[in-house]
Amino acid sequence: MSIPVNSSYSIKRRLSLQLVGSAAILATILFVLVLNFAAQVSEQSQDNILTASVTSILDSASIRGGEVSVDIPYAALSMLGNVSDDRVFYRISADDIFLTGYADLPEVKQQNRPDESAGVRSFITAPYKDDTIRMVSATRQLSVGGEPVNIGVSVAQTRNGQASTLARISRTAIILGLGFFVISAALAIFAAQTSVRPLSRLAVSVSRRGPKDLRPVQSPVPTEMVPLVKSLNSFIARLKTSLTRSEDFIAEAAHRVRTPLATVRVQAEIVMRRVEKPQNRKALKEMIRTIDESSRAAGQLLDHAMVTFRTDHLERKSFELADLVADSVERMAPLAELRDIKIDMLSKDRGQISGDQILIQSAVHNILDNAIKYSPPEQVITVIVQRERQGDLKGITVQIADRGQGFNKNDSARLTERFIRGDNAADTVGSGLGLTIAKEVMQAHGGDLTLNNQQYGEGACVSLYFPF
Ligand SMILES: Nc1ncnc2c1ncn2[C@@H]1O[C@H](COP(=O)(O)OP(=O)(O)O)[C@@H](O)[C@H]1O
Ligand SMILES: [Mg+2]
């Protein structure tokens, strides 16, 4: 029987999701960083070329005949063309008076204005002619007739080449990010699986144990699982103690109940020998019968408790069924002799079965006890052990047949229930637990108990079937 367990979430799934989520975030960060870096680098390289261009134009500025003259070197603009097909614009001015180039190029704002004394360059990105341009401006001071003149040069270039480079890089960055994500996700799932593996290993090792295996878990476990295994071990230890205690209790209780009853019975018998009045003798007889009944009932109740307990923790061992039955027959022979009943045992086949010998002995004992009780005196009880097939299953059966009244067809279905006795049981001592015990033992061993009447002649025939 497995009791359903509430599970709130799966560690493996949660861990995988968290790790895969982190991998996705990291992949996105990686993508953004790569893209930013690429944008910076490409802007930087454009700036460098623009600066070189501006510098070489400024360098070519000179004073000729008291006039500012600027010869734009061929290389100054061609170096920009080399890099991409972007359009190039320039403007040259002297003391803010436009000299040549594109007059409408954006003005460098005040705060961006190059520091005139130091010739510092300024960089701006601005819209121009339905496009975006990057522009570098710088100044140089020349002196015309002792008067300082500030030559300003701006060179600008559209950014289409840069944009397409960036698009290319972003495609690569996406592939890179995706690749990174896929590899990290696979690693994350693998990591999640490995981290919960010790848990499933522990579960398997505990569930594979036999019902009587109450050893503590000793195989090494990860540190995080130590508290769990510790409490599991202490639980196993407590269970073991309580099981041993109840086993002891059953034995002790059986002893304590039966012994005083036996004493009372002996006393009653002694008294009976001295009593002569038929009335008193009758009362004493009744008393002895009741004592017998109580003693048997107590015994059977405890037997039943023992059977329930042992079938819950079935301890299987391999043994020869015919030997066990022969042993039971031998033990019951004195009881049978009291009624001049003979038990004939015929072991047609031998066969090893695996099971709890004490339980099977108790089942056979109860069936034999019934056969003796319900059979008329001076009769024979036949016990046969033989191999049998039930469909595809091979097994071995113990058949116990007597020459009594047999089972009453009407109530035989209920006779295996607790405390249920048949109509024929009125004059016999009993508590209605014998067949219950036998049935439970057979069920625990995967076997079967069948109640039949003899095909030929009178009497009950009870079969205990054990599959191999
Ligand atoms: N060999 C048998 N012959 C006839 N009836 C039987 C036989 N064995 C069992 N029974 C019937 O089955 C009933 C239940 O048996 P059991 O559980 O052993 O209880 P008890 O023997 O204490 O009455 C008995 O009361 C009896 O009616
Ligand atoms: Mg009985």
Side-chain angles (χ1 to χ4, degrees):
M1 186 181 64
S2 82
I3 301 153
V5 177
N6 286 333
S7 78
S8 52
Y9 66 90
S10 142
I11 294 185
K12 192 159 89 182
R13 203 173 312 140
R14 185 174 274 195
L15 201 59
S16 306
L17 276 179
Q18 281 172 349
L19 290 174
V20 169
S22 322
I25 293 171
L26 284 180
T28 317
I29 292 177
L30 178 78
F31 170 74
V32 172
L33 282 182
V34 166
L35 217 56
N36 262 344
F37 182 66
Q40 264 175 28
V41 167
S42 78
E43 194 175 79
Q44 184 73 56
S45 68
Q46 194 180 28
D47 284 355
N48 286 346
I49 300 169
L50 285 171
T51 309
S53 170
V54 167
T55 317
S56 74
I57 294 174
L58 272 182
D59 283 350
S60 72
S62 58
I63 308 293
R64 253 185 241 152
E67 294 255 318
V68 176
S69 142
V70 184
D71 283 330
I72 300 174
Y74 172 73
L77 299 179
S78 75
M79 69 171 88
L80 286 161
N82 283 344
V83 185
S84 67
D85 292 336
D86 279 311
R87 285 179 294 158
V88 178
F89 312 95
Y90 68 92
R91 183 186 55 213
I92 302 169
S93 56
D95 277 343
D96 290 341
I97 298 159
F98 172 71
L99 292 182
T100 177
Y102 294 78
D104 55 350
L105 268 181
E107 281 297 326
V108 177
K109 286 193 203 105
Q110 206 51 46
Q111 66 264 39
N112 287 330
R113 211 180 165 90
D115 182 337
E116 290 169 11
S117 57
V120 176
R121 303 159 202 109
S122 81
F123 304 86
I124 60 162
T125 306
Y128 182 66
K129 289 193 194 290
D130 302 332
D131 230 331
T132 311
I133 53 163
R134 181 74 178 162
M135 189 171 86
V136 176
S137 310
T139 54
R140 183 180 165 205
Q141 225 171 42
L142 292 178
S143 139
V144 182
E147 282 292 308
V149 178
N150 272 317
I151 311 291
V153 173
S154 296
V155 178
Q157 189 180 29
T158 53
R159 313 180 85 202
N160 299 330
Q162 200 192 356
S164 78
T165 312
L166 269 185
R168 229 175 29 246
I169 292 175
S170 84
R171 270 197 300 278
T172 316
I174 285 178
I175 294 169
L176 198 73
L178 272 181
F180 174 80
F181 172 72
V182 168
I183 293 171
S184 344
L187 287 176
I189 290 169
F190 175 72
Q193 262 167 357
T194 9
S195 49
V196 296
R197 202 166 292 147
L199 270 179
S200 30
R201 219 180 291 140
L202 176 71
V204 168
S205 86
V206 172
S207 61
R208 267 206 199 132
R209 290 175 166 215
K212 277 269 172 176
D213 188 351
L214 293 177
R215 286 171 301 147
V217 176
Q218 269 164 342
S219 46
V221 289
T223 330
E224 290 78 3
M225 276 170 64
V226 168
L228 172 71
V229 172
K230 258 191 191 163
S231 47
L232 182 67
N233 280 347
S234 99
F235 178 73
I236 291 177
R238 271 181 284 142
L239 183 67
K240 200 170 171 179
T241 323
S242 103
L243 285 181
T244 323
R245 233 182 257 153
S246 38
E247 219 165 346
D248 292 349
F249 172 78
I250 290 172
E252 178 76 15
H255 181 68
R256 286 196 182 239
V257 172
R258 279 176 187 152
T259 317
L261 280 176
T263 319
V264 175
R265 192 185 195 282
V266 170
Q267 298 288 345
E269 271 177 355
I270 294 170
V271 173
M272 189 148 91
R273 268 183 230 145
R274 292 197 216 120
V275 171
E276 296 203 339
K277 254 192 180 172
Q279 253 175 330
N280 291 352
R281 286 185 70 86
K282 199 179 164 222
L284 273 171
K285 255 193 190 158
E286 194 53 40
M287 195 174 138
I288 290 173
R289 189 188 131 93
T290 318
I291 292 170
D292 279 349
E293 206 153 328
S294 322
S295 157
R296 282 179 77 101
Q300 286 224 294
L301 275 173
L302 291 165
D303 271 358
H304 185 240
M306 186 268 295
V307 165
T308 315
F309 171 79
R310 288 186 79 97
T311 47
D312 274 354
H313 314 276
L314 197 64
E315 193 175 8
R316 284 179 182 270
K317 258 190 201 142
S318 212
F319 63 92
E320 182 64 50
L321 183 64
D323 290 349
L324 179 138
V325 177
D327 189 47
S328 291
V329 167
E330 207 173 300
R331 281 194 215 181
M332 295 299 275
L335 190 69
E337 261 165 38
L338 290 179
R339 306 193 65 215
D340 291 323
I341 291 172
K342 194 170 163 272
I343 308 178
D344 260 357
M345 162 133 185
L346 180 65
S347 51
K348 285 192 182 168
D349 297 306
R350 294 181 66 77
Q352 295 258 330
I353 60 161
S354 118
D356 185 325
Q357 296 194 48
I358 295 179
L359 288 182
I360 297 174
Q361 209 143 35
S362 165
V364 174
H365 171 95
N366 275 292
I367 304 299
L368 276 175
D369 181 60
N370 282 350
I372 297 168
K373 269 198 316 195
Y374 297 106
S375 137
E378 297 169 29
Q379 287 288 351
V380 179
I381 292 169
T382 340
V383 179
I384 303 174
V385 180
Q386 63 184 350
R387 283 173 187 255
E388 199 189 285
R389 260 180 184 276
Q390 279 198 1
D392 285 346
L393 285 176
K394 272 193 211 162
I396 191 158
T397 11
V398 183
Q399 271 180 14
I400 298 170
D402 59 61
R403 304 237 147 61
Q405 279 187 346
F407 293 104
N408 189 337
K409 282 272 171 244
N410 300 330
D411 54 22
S412 69
R414 292 190 59 220
L415 294 180
T416 50
E417 285 174 28
R418 270 200 285 176
F419 305 115
I420 301 288
R421 307 192 69 204
D423 294 338
N424 56 345
D427 304 328
T428 44
V429 184
S431 50
L433 280 171
L435 291 182
T436 317
I437 290 174
K439 172 114 187 173
E440 281 176 11
V441 169
M442 294 315 294
Q443 277 175 342
H445 287 84
D448 215 358
L449 166 90
T450 30
L451 308 179
N452 275 315
N453 285 329
Q454 303 243 38
Q455 270 178 309
Y456 310 104
E458 286 215 312
C461 178
V462 179
S463 307
L464 306 175
Y465 168 77
F466 297 90
F468 281 135

